[in-house]
Amino acid sequence: STDAVRSGIAGDDERIANARLIAAAPDLLEALQDCLIGIDALIGHFTAAGVAADRDQKAAGLARAAIAKALGA
């Protein structure tokens, strides 16, 4: 049926997208780890200046959680 063909094509597109994401995962992890270093430095500067860094702290927490998940921690 047409629905079966459509779901097969959609399934292939999803598999290709997943394969690309898996292939990029090591680079994405390294980039996020590098970004976290920068975010932590910004938080340090903001804190030293007495400026709230709530948004940056939230971003850092999300980054740490994603890194932990990627590393199986």
Side-chain angles (χ1 to χ4, degrees):
S1 81
T2 304
D3 288 339
V5 171
R6 282 190 199 134
S7 88
I9 291 169
D12 288 343
D13 289 344
E14 185 175 353
R15 282 189 285 276
I16 291 167
N18 287 340
R20 288 180 179 151
L21 183 58
I22 290 166
D27 295 332
L28 292 168
L29 175 59
E30 183 178 357
L32 185 57
Q33 289 169 321
D34 288 346
C35 288
L36 184 56
I37 292 168
I39 292 169
D40 283 339
L42 284 173
I43 291 169
H45 290 298
F46 288 146
T47 302
V51 177
D54 295 342
R55 191 170 113 200
D56 298 303
Q57 289 173 343
K58 180 180 178 185
L62 292 171
R64 282 189 182 82
I67 290 167
K69 188 174 184 179
L71 297 176

